[in-house]
Amino acid sequence: MRYGMVIDLKRCVGCYGCQLSCKAENGTPPGVLFARLAKREFGCFPDTQLVFLPLLCFHCAEAPCVSVCPTGASHYREGGVVDIDAEACVGCRACMQACPYGARYFNEDQREYFPGQGLTPYEEARYSDANRGIVMKCNFCIDRVNAGLEPACVANCAARARVFGDLDDPESEVWRLIETRGGAPLEPELGTKPSVYYLPP
Amino acid sequence: MSTTTLRQAQGGAYDRLLADLGATFRPQRQWVEGRGLLLIIGHFLSGVGAGAWLFALAFDQRAGLAAATATVALAGVFHLLFLGRPERFWRMFRAKSSWIARGFVGMNLFVPGALLYFVFPDGYVGGAFLAVSLLGAAILIVYKGNVYAASKGVPFWNSPLLPVLYAAYALRGGGAALLVLLPFAKDGADEATVGLIELWIGLSAAVMLGFYLGVMRNATRAAQRSVAELMHGRVALVFYLGTLGAGLVVPIAAGVVGLAAPLSEAVLAVVACFSLGGDFFAKYAIAKAGVYVPLMPTLGEGARPPR
């Protein structure tokens, strides 16, 4: 069993739904984006191009962030999911330098979204002091997955551009899409063996 | 009701994060800006301290041994202050694959070992403390470069050349620190010999730095961008004045002059201060020039930074 995700760049419309639903699900503070959408415009009118690239932790099978962690806080969970033990992280940020995909964020202090007005009831409920001074990242919403649900970004993708499943199962939808559409991970030459594949636009 | 926005409240930090995330070559900031500067200072002090301890041992310089041990202990404090959760430092003993953990072990071997060797230098007990201290010093000299080299996200650092360069800088910094100490405590060290060794390591470091930059200039686009940041980008001033000027040109020129006519202890100490400053700025510049692997397609955007 190896959890993985396929993102269809042909279907992605750059609506930021993944980014927002992830924030709602995980209650991440400002400056921490487990899922984010990189968007870039190229060219000059009328010859222009708009490129979207939804990004998240790629849960690499050979994750460099795990091997550089001095405490073992970065670790593999069931299904090859890379997660952080918030109680063990010392906030050295070595994993951030090791990750080639920019999937990790340092939560220096607990910031509110509306400065000067204190934490909103939502923020009070969702923020945890255990996350202060440590690195945070996506864990494929593993609690949802264990409960039989899809990760929030998959469940809330309006264009159904994201598919979640078992990369080791030849019968799975992710396997079929990668095989038939020629899915490829980002920067495969780095040798990290990511579990997130992109289908060409 | 307050109208302060998130962006205003964070003094531009939030804007900068968003700009960084949107940039092709996202700059590395965590290990060099804000509290990251504490890490650079810690790396600098631990290298200089371990190098100075080896020089002091070689020249039987008791004051040097004491100062070097204190320097490494101070480096440990800077490392701790950098951490987001310093109270959990004891968890960093997981030395299986992490060079940070190995460095932590090295520091914990060196500081008590060197302290005990200073107090009990003789006999079998002294020999045991010496062995532990030597092991700790060796780890401290090599670990920093390997910590950077293990950073796959920053191609400029992800090179086997960097640990060699940082080890050379640590040894050179050690020699320089001893030269600074000589006017105050001259036990057994000969300034001419230390100065000659310092010149030799300085020249080696210059050659290695040139070689490293030459290799990186022809490596990945992110590494090329980092070299460009050093040469004519946002780190150029620090690189030319600090790393090259103070760190290499002045010490090497003084060393060459010293071959013809011996320099006084005071002059050597001043030159050594330049050398130490250069070592610090070398670490700072290399850390600051780091950029992450570009993820978005660049469609012709060059590695050259905008002027």
PDB file of all heavy atoms in Angstrom, chain B residues 155-156 159 161 210-228 231 303:
ATOM      1  N   PRO B 155      20.250  23.476  -4.569  1.00  0.00           N
ATOM      2  CA  PRO B 155      21.309  22.845  -5.371  1.00  0.00           C
ATOM      3  C   PRO B 155      22.699  23.456  -5.164  1.00  0.00           C
ATOM      4  O   PRO B 155      23.701  22.758  -5.315  1.00  0.00           O
ATOM      5  CB  PRO B 155      20.828  23.056  -6.811  1.00  0.00           C
ATOM      6  CG  PRO B 155      19.354  23.191  -6.693  1.00  0.00           C
ATOM      7  CD  PRO B 155      19.120  23.897  -5.402  1.00  0.00           C
ATOM      8  N   PHE B 156      22.757  24.737  -4.826  1.00  0.00           N
ATOM      9  CA  PHE B 156      24.055  25.389  -4.623  1.00  0.00           C
ATOM     10  C   PHE B 156      24.816  24.742  -3.463  1.00  0.00           C
ATOM     11  O   PHE B 156      26.047  24.701  -3.457  1.00  0.00           O
ATOM     12  CB  PHE B 156      23.819  26.877  -4.333  1.00  0.00           C
ATOM     13  CG  PHE B 156      25.071  27.696  -4.202  1.00  0.00           C
ATOM     14  CD1 PHE B 156      26.060  27.659  -5.165  1.00  0.00           C
ATOM     15  CD2 PHE B 156      25.242  28.549  -3.115  1.00  0.00           C
ATOM     16  CE1 PHE B 156      27.210  28.433  -5.047  1.00  0.00           C
ATOM     17  CE2 PHE B 156      26.376  29.325  -2.991  1.00  0.00           C
ATOM     18  CZ  PHE B 156      27.364  29.263  -3.960  1.00  0.00           C
ATOM     19  N   SER B 159      26.418  19.759  -2.740  1.00  0.00           N
ATOM     20  CA  SER B 159      27.634  19.383  -3.450  1.00  0.00           C
ATOM     21  C   SER B 159      28.643  18.798  -2.467  1.00  0.00           C
ATOM     22  O   SER B 159      28.787  19.301  -1.344  1.00  0.00           O
ATOM     23  CB  SER B 159      28.233  20.633  -4.123  1.00  0.00           C
ATOM     24  OG  SER B 159      29.591  20.428  -4.410  1.00  0.00           O
ATOM     25  N   LEU B 161      31.651  19.199  -2.551  1.00  0.00           N
ATOM     26  CA  LEU B 161      32.761  20.144  -2.383  1.00  0.00           C
ATOM     27  C   LEU B 161      32.581  21.022  -1.143  1.00  0.00           C
ATOM     28  O   LEU B 161      33.549  21.482  -0.547  1.00  0.00           O
ATOM     29  CB  LEU B 161      32.866  21.052  -3.609  1.00  0.00           C
ATOM     30  CG  LEU B 161      33.267  20.394  -4.924  1.00  0.00           C
ATOM     31  CD1 LEU B 161      33.150  21.380  -6.073  1.00  0.00           C
ATOM     32  CD2 LEU B 161      34.693  19.873  -4.825  1.00  0.00           C
ATOM     33  N   GLY B 210      37.265  29.039  -5.331  1.00  0.00           N
ATOM     34  CA  GLY B 210      37.209  29.246  -6.779  1.00  0.00           C
ATOM     35  C   GLY B 210      36.743  28.002  -7.509  1.00  0.00           C
ATOM     36  O   GLY B 210      35.914  28.061  -8.425  1.00  0.00           O
ATOM     37  N   PHE B 211      37.259  26.859  -7.084  1.00  0.00           N
ATOM     38  CA  PHE B 211      36.889  25.591  -7.709  1.00  0.00           C
ATOM     39  C   PHE B 211      35.401  25.307  -7.500  1.00  0.00           C
ATOM     40  O   PHE B 211      34.679  24.928  -8.426  1.00  0.00           O
ATOM     41  CB  PHE B 211      37.750  24.480  -7.095  1.00  0.00           C
ATOM     42  CG  PHE B 211      37.551  23.130  -7.731  1.00  0.00           C
ATOM     43  CD1 PHE B 211      37.749  22.942  -9.092  1.00  0.00           C
ATOM     44  CD2 PHE B 211      37.170  22.043  -6.963  1.00  0.00           C
ATOM     45  CE1 PHE B 211      37.568  21.698  -9.672  1.00  0.00           C
ATOM     46  CE2 PHE B 211      36.983  20.797  -7.538  1.00  0.00           C
ATOM     47  CZ  PHE B 211      37.184  20.632  -8.892  1.00  0.00           C
ATOM     48  N   TYR B 212      34.950  25.535  -6.253  1.00  0.00           N
ATOM     49  CA  TYR B 212      33.548  25.305  -5.905  1.00  0.00           C
ATOM     50  C   TYR B 212      32.621  26.179  -6.754  1.00  0.00           C
ATOM     51  O   TYR B 212      31.653  25.698  -7.356  1.00  0.00           O
ATOM     52  CB  TYR B 212      33.362  25.593  -4.413  1.00  0.00           C
ATOM     53  CG  TYR B 212      31.936  25.630  -3.931  1.00  0.00           C
ATOM     54  CD1 TYR B 212      31.128  24.505  -3.982  1.00  0.00           C
ATOM     55  CD2 TYR B 212      31.400  26.803  -3.410  1.00  0.00           C
ATOM     56  CE1 TYR B 212      29.824  24.552  -3.532  1.00  0.00           C
ATOM     57  CE2 TYR B 212      30.101  26.860  -2.952  1.00  0.00           C
ATOM     58  CZ  TYR B 212      29.313  25.739  -3.020  1.00  0.00           C
ATOM     59  OH  TYR B 212      28.023  25.786  -2.584  1.00  0.00           O
ATOM     60  N   LEU B 213      32.965  27.465  -6.835  1.00  0.00           N
ATOM     61  CA  LEU B 213      32.115  28.370  -7.617  1.00  0.00           C
ATOM     62  C   LEU B 213      32.171  28.028  -9.101  1.00  0.00           C
ATOM     63  O   LEU B 213      31.157  28.128  -9.807  1.00  0.00           O
ATOM     64  CB  LEU B 213      32.537  29.825  -7.383  1.00  0.00           C
ATOM     65  CG  LEU B 213      32.303  30.354  -5.961  1.00  0.00           C
ATOM     66  CD1 LEU B 213      32.771  31.798  -5.845  1.00  0.00           C
ATOM     67  CD2 LEU B 213      30.841  30.238  -5.569  1.00  0.00           C
ATOM     68  N   GLY B 214      33.339  27.611  -9.566  1.00  0.00           N
ATOM     69  CA  GLY B 214      33.472  27.217 -10.967  1.00  0.00           C
ATOM     70  C   GLY B 214      32.599  26.023 -11.299  1.00  0.00           C
ATOM     71  O   GLY B 214      31.927  25.995 -12.339  1.00  0.00           O
ATOM     72  N   VAL B 215      32.584  25.050 -10.392  1.00  0.00           N
ATOM     73  CA  VAL B 215      31.747  23.861 -10.615  1.00  0.00           C
ATOM     74  C   VAL B 215      30.270  24.243 -10.576  1.00  0.00           C
ATOM     75  O   VAL B 215      29.471  23.848 -11.433  1.00  0.00           O
ATOM     76  CB  VAL B 215      32.058  22.774  -9.551  1.00  0.00           C
ATOM     77  CG1 VAL B 215      31.028  21.661  -9.602  1.00  0.00           C
ATOM     78  CG2 VAL B 215      33.448  22.203  -9.772  1.00  0.00           C
ATOM     79  N   MET B 216      29.904  25.044  -9.584  1.00  0.00           N
ATOM     80  CA  MET B 216      28.488  25.412  -9.419  1.00  0.00           C
ATOM     81  C   MET B 216      27.982  26.285 -10.583  1.00  0.00           C
ATOM     82  O   MET B 216      26.811  26.256 -10.926  1.00  0.00           O
ATOM     83  CB  MET B 216      28.304  26.177  -8.096  1.00  0.00           C
ATOM     84  CG  MET B 216      28.353  25.286  -6.897  1.00  0.00           C
ATOM     85  SD  MET B 216      26.993  24.125  -6.943  1.00  0.00           S
ATOM     86  CE  MET B 216      27.785  22.604  -6.565  1.00  0.00           C
ATOM     87  N   ARG B 217      28.904  27.028 -11.170  1.00  0.00           N
ATOM     88  CA  ARG B 217      28.540  27.891 -12.289  1.00  0.00           C
ATOM     89  C   ARG B 217      28.097  27.074 -13.498  1.00  0.00           C
ATOM     90  O   ARG B 217      27.402  27.575 -14.378  1.00  0.00           O
ATOM     91  CB  ARG B 217      29.748  28.761 -12.653  1.00  0.00           C
ATOM     92  CG  ARG B 217      29.400  29.993 -13.398  1.00  0.00           C
ATOM     93  CD  ARG B 217      30.617  30.844 -13.582  1.00  0.00           C
ATOM     94  NE  ARG B 217      30.303  32.006 -14.392  1.00  0.00           N
ATOM     95  CZ  ARG B 217      31.195  32.876 -14.785  1.00  0.00           C
ATOM     96  NH1 ARG B 217      32.448  32.733 -14.436  1.00  0.00           N
ATOM     97  NH2 ARG B 217      30.837  33.909 -15.508  1.00  0.00           N
ATOM     98  N   ASN B 218      28.518  25.819 -13.540  1.00  0.00           N
ATOM     99  CA  ASN B 218      28.147  24.950 -14.649  1.00  0.00           C
ATOM    100  C   ASN B 218      27.214  23.825 -14.209  1.00  0.00           C
ATOM    101  O   ASN B 218      27.092  22.827 -14.911  1.00  0.00           O
ATOM    102  CB  ASN B 218      29.415  24.362 -15.275  1.00  0.00           C
ATOM    103  CG  ASN B 218      30.255  25.439 -15.916  1.00  0.00           C
ATOM    104  OD1 ASN B 218      29.822  26.119 -16.829  1.00  0.00           O
ATOM    105  ND2 ASN B 218      31.459  25.632 -15.402  1.00  0.00           N
ATOM    106  N   ALA B 219      26.612  23.981 -13.031  1.00  0.00           N
ATOM    107  CA  ALA B 219      25.709  22.940 -12.522  1.00  0.00           C
ATOM    108  C   ALA B 219      24.268  23.286 -12.915  1.00  0.00           C
ATOM    109  O   ALA B 219      24.025  23.819 -13.989  1.00  0.00           O
ATOM    110  CB  ALA B 219      25.872  22.816 -11.006  1.00  0.00           C
ATOM    111  N   THR B 220      23.314  22.975 -12.048  1.00  0.00           N
ATOM    112  CA  THR B 220      21.907  23.195 -12.373  1.00  0.00           C
ATOM    113  C   THR B 220      21.596  24.692 -12.461  1.00  0.00           C
ATOM    114  O   THR B 220      22.389  25.525 -12.009  1.00  0.00           O
ATOM    115  CB  THR B 220      20.985  22.587 -11.301  1.00  0.00           C
ATOM    116  OG1 THR B 220      21.209  23.292 -10.080  1.00  0.00           O
ATOM    117  CG2 THR B 220      21.286  21.111 -11.100  1.00  0.00           C
ATOM    118  N   ARG B 221      20.421  25.018 -12.989  1.00  0.00           N
ATOM    119  CA  ARG B 221      20.077  26.427 -13.167  1.00  0.00           C
ATOM    120  C   ARG B 221      19.941  27.143 -11.824  1.00  0.00           C
ATOM    121  O   ARG B 221      20.269  28.323 -11.710  1.00  0.00           O
ATOM    122  CB  ARG B 221      18.789  26.553 -13.975  1.00  0.00           C
ATOM    123  CG  ARG B 221      19.000  26.031 -15.401  1.00  0.00           C
ATOM    124  CD  ARG B 221      17.801  26.245 -16.285  1.00  0.00           C
ATOM    125  NE  ARG B 221      17.588  27.656 -16.555  1.00  0.00           N
ATOM    126  CZ  ARG B 221      16.554  28.336 -16.122  1.00  0.00           C
ATOM    127  NH1 ARG B 221      15.633  27.755 -15.400  1.00  0.00           N
ATOM    128  NH2 ARG B 221      16.411  29.602 -16.405  1.00  0.00           N
ATOM    129  N   ALA B 222      19.470  26.422 -10.811  1.00  0.00           N
ATOM    130  CA  ALA B 222      19.360  27.045  -9.487  1.00  0.00           C
ATOM    131  C   ALA B 222      20.746  27.340  -8.924  1.00  0.00           C
ATOM    132  O   ALA B 222      20.972  28.400  -8.317  1.00  0.00           O
ATOM    133  CB  ALA B 222      18.584  26.137  -8.544  1.00  0.00           C
ATOM    134  N   ALA B 223      21.680  26.421  -9.125  1.00  0.00           N
ATOM    135  CA  ALA B 223      23.048  26.646  -8.652  1.00  0.00           C
ATOM    136  C   ALA B 223      23.689  27.805  -9.413  1.00  0.00           C
ATOM    137  O   ALA B 223      24.390  28.642  -8.824  1.00  0.00           O
ATOM    138  CB  ALA B 223      23.882  25.375  -8.809  1.00  0.00           C
ATOM    139  N   GLN B 224      23.419  27.867 -10.699  1.00  0.00           N
ATOM    140  CA  GLN B 224      23.946  28.982 -11.505  1.00  0.00           C
ATOM    141  C   GLN B 224      23.391  30.307 -11.003  1.00  0.00           C
ATOM    142  O   GLN B 224      24.099  31.309 -10.926  1.00  0.00           O
ATOM    143  CB  GLN B 224      23.548  28.800 -12.973  1.00  0.00           C
ATOM    144  CG  GLN B 224      24.264  27.661 -13.664  1.00  0.00           C
ATOM    145  CD  GLN B 224      23.701  27.407 -15.055  1.00  0.00           C
ATOM    146  OE1 GLN B 224      23.004  28.234 -15.629  1.00  0.00           O
ATOM    147  NE2 GLN B 224      23.986  26.241 -15.592  1.00  0.00           N
ATOM    148  N   ARG B 225      22.112  30.277 -10.641  1.00  0.00           N
ATOM    149  CA  ARG B 225      21.490  31.493 -10.124  1.00  0.00           C
ATOM    150  C   ARG B 225      22.166  31.925  -8.816  1.00  0.00           C
ATOM    151  O   ARG B 225      22.391  33.113  -8.572  1.00  0.00           O
ATOM    152  CB  ARG B 225      20.003  31.240  -9.900  1.00  0.00           C
ATOM    153  CG  ARG B 225      19.255  32.356  -9.207  1.00  0.00           C
ATOM    154  CD  ARG B 225      19.299  33.646 -10.017  1.00  0.00           C
ATOM    155  NE  ARG B 225      18.512  34.678  -9.391  1.00  0.00           N
ATOM    156  CZ  ARG B 225      17.468  35.267  -9.965  1.00  0.00           C
ATOM    157  NH1 ARG B 225      17.125  34.954 -11.181  1.00  0.00           N
ATOM    158  NH2 ARG B 225      16.798  36.187  -9.327  1.00  0.00           N
ATOM    159  N   SER B 226      22.481  30.941  -7.968  1.00  0.00           N
ATOM    160  CA  SER B 226      23.143  31.256  -6.693  1.00  0.00           C
ATOM    161  C   SER B 226      24.511  31.884  -6.936  1.00  0.00           C
ATOM    162  O   SER B 226      24.892  32.856  -6.259  1.00  0.00           O
ATOM    163  CB  SER B 226      23.300  29.986  -5.853  1.00  0.00           C
ATOM    164  OG  SER B 226      22.045  29.515  -5.435  1.00  0.00           O
ATOM    165  N   VAL B 227      25.262  31.322  -7.881  1.00  0.00           N
ATOM    166  CA  VAL B 227      26.575  31.905  -8.201  1.00  0.00           C
ATOM    167  C   VAL B 227      26.385  33.328  -8.708  1.00  0.00           C
ATOM    168  O   VAL B 227      27.135  34.245  -8.336  1.00  0.00           O
ATOM    169  CB  VAL B 227      27.313  31.037  -9.255  1.00  0.00           C
ATOM    170  CG1 VAL B 227      28.616  31.711  -9.679  1.00  0.00           C
ATOM    171  CG2 VAL B 227      27.593  29.648  -8.698  1.00  0.00           C
ATOM    172  N   ALA B 228      25.340  33.524  -9.526  1.00  0.00           N
ATOM    173  CA  ALA B 228      25.068  34.866 -10.041  1.00  0.00           C
ATOM    174  C   ALA B 228      24.695  35.826  -8.911  1.00  0.00           C
ATOM    175  O   ALA B 228      25.072  37.001  -8.941  1.00  0.00           O
ATOM    176  CB  ALA B 228      23.945  34.802 -11.076  1.00  0.00           C
ATOM    177  N   MET B 231      27.978  36.830  -7.443  1.00  0.00           N
ATOM    178  CA  MET B 231      28.830  37.637  -8.326  1.00  0.00           C
ATOM    179  C   MET B 231      28.265  39.033  -8.591  1.00  0.00           C
ATOM    180  O   MET B 231      28.997  40.017  -8.564  1.00  0.00           O
ATOM    181  CB  MET B 231      29.017  36.926  -9.675  1.00  0.00           C
ATOM    182  CG  MET B 231      29.709  35.584  -9.570  1.00  0.00           C
ATOM    183  SD  MET B 231      31.399  35.811  -8.973  1.00  0.00           S
ATOM    184  CE  MET B 231      31.994  34.135  -9.008  1.00  0.00           C
ATOM    185  N   ALA B 303      19.125  32.463 -15.593  1.00  0.00           N
ATOM    186  CA  ALA B 303      19.636  32.277 -14.232  1.00  0.00           C
ATOM    187  C   ALA B 303      20.215  33.566 -13.678  1.00  0.00           C
ATOM    188  O   ALA B 303      20.541  33.650 -12.510  1.00  0.00           O
ATOM    189  CB  ALA B 303      20.692  31.184 -14.238  1.00  0.00           C
TER     190      ALA B 303
END
